[in-house]
Amino acid sequence: IKEAEASMEEAQALASEYGANIDELQAQIDELVPQIADLEARIADLEAQIEENEAKVEELKQRVLKRMVSSQGTMHFNPMLDFILGSQGFADMLRRTYGVEAITQKEEQDRNAYLDIIEQLEKDKEELSAAKEELDAKKVDLDAKKERAEAMRVFYERIVAETYDQIQALLEEEAQHQMVLSSIVYELDELYKMEYQYGMISMVPGSSISAGIPSYP
């Protein structure tokens, strides 16, 4: 029983230790969740800003093209316009129109400013995405550790329960032995209380009389 009790106390201590570990891991996870949510919100905000500035650049592009169309009659600009309209994308279009005189200095400054903003926003978005990936990986690791700790806690709690049942069985067995022992002690006490009887009352089969007293093999 003492060995079982010592084993149960050890298992209880380990279960409590893993339980505390679970609480600590959960606290770290709870701390990460709002950080991840904040990063997701900031990334979404950056994506919205990027989309907004891309729309502004596209608007600038359309304004430039409209001006070129309206001025081509006096500037004899048809070949260059065809060249620009045949671009394969916005970046290609910017490269083609870079040297076109129809783009004023102010428009060029606006274009560069928008592109710089987009580039910086993309850079910030990449940094936030990397930070979010790091936090996501850390959360996954903490979740895995918490799951293992939970499994160990359940394991040792099962050992505690099984050991408790074992102790109860041993206590019942001890109680039964105690009852037998008490019965034996009672019988001995009764024997000790019996008065010595002089003279032979009866002989045990197989015994004989020697010097006036029973003799037993």
Side-chain angles (χ1 to χ4, degrees):
I1 292 174
K2 289 181 178 179
E3 290 177 358
E5 288 176 342
S7 177
M8 186 174 70
E9 289 177 1
E10 181 181 357
Q12 284 177 330
L14 289 170
S16 299
E17 180 180 344
Y18 279 105
N21 190 20
I22 291 170
D23 293 338
E24 181 181 352
L25 291 170
Q26 186 60 54
Q28 295 181 39
I29 292 172
D30 293 340
E31 185 178 349
L32 286 179
V33 170
Q35 296 181 33
I36 294 174
D38 178 64
L39 287 176
E40 289 176 342
R42 292 168 63 185
I43 290 172
D45 183 59
L46 287 176
E47 289 175 341
Q49 293 181 49
I50 291 172
E51 185 176 351
E52 179 182 353
N53 282 280
E54 286 177 342
K56 291 179 180 179
V57 176
E58 179 64 23
E59 181 183 355
L60 176 61
K61 167 189 171 181
Q62 296 301 325
R63 188 167 67 246
V64 172
L65 289 176
K66 183 177 180 181
R67 176 180 299 180
M68 293 176 65
V69 170
S70 63
S71 62
Q72 65 175 325
T74 57
M75 297 178 62
H76 305 289
F77 208 60
N78 284 325
M80 185 59 71
L81 180 60
D82 293 338
F83 171 73
I84 292 173
L85 293 177
S87 59
Q88 298 301 315
F90 179 62
D92 185 31
M93 174 272 214
L94 289 178
R95 287 194 295 271
R96 296 187 182 198
T97 58
Y98 186 80
V100 178
E101 294 180 354
I103 300 180
T104 64
Q105 183 178 2
K106 176 64 170 61
E107 289 168 336
E108 185 176 349
Q109 290 175 351
D110 289 344
R111 180 205 65 179
N112 292 334
Y114 288 139
L115 291 177
D116 289 343
I117 292 174
I118 292 174
E119 183 179 358
Q120 183 60 46
L121 290 175
E122 289 284 5
K123 182 179 179 181
D124 293 343
K125 177 184 172 183
E126 289 178 1
E127 291 178 356
L128 290 180
S129 296
K132 180 179 178 297
E133 288 179 2
E134 183 178 351
L135 290 182
D136 285 337
K138 186 174 182 181
K139 182 177 180 298
V140 169
D141 180 62
L142 290 175
D143 285 333
K145 289 181 179 178
K146 178 187 173 184
E147 185 177 353
R148 290 194 296 270
E150 180 67 27
M152 294 303 297
R153 182 181 67 82
V154 172
F155 171 75
Y156 283 112
E157 285 182 347
R158 186 172 69 251
I159 290 180
V160 170
E162 292 175 352
T163 308
Y164 176 81
D165 292 339
Q166 179 185 359
I167 291 173
Q168 295 306 308
L170 291 172
L171 289 173
E172 291 177 3
E173 185 179 351
E174 182 186 34
Q176 293 175 359
H177 292 170
Q178 188 63 43
M179 290 177 60
V180 173
L181 180 61
S182 297
S183 176
I184 294 174
V185 170
Y186 174 78
E187 292 177 1
L188 289 174
D189 287 341
E190 291 299 315
L191 288 174
Y192 290 142
K193 291 177 183 178
M194 290 178 64
E195 295 181 0
Y196 181 76
Q197 300 292 328
Y198 291 94
M200 182 174 60
I201 299 176
S202 64
M203 293 290 294
V204 175
S207 61
S208 60
I209 299 297
S210 175
I213 62 174
S215 176
Y216 303 96

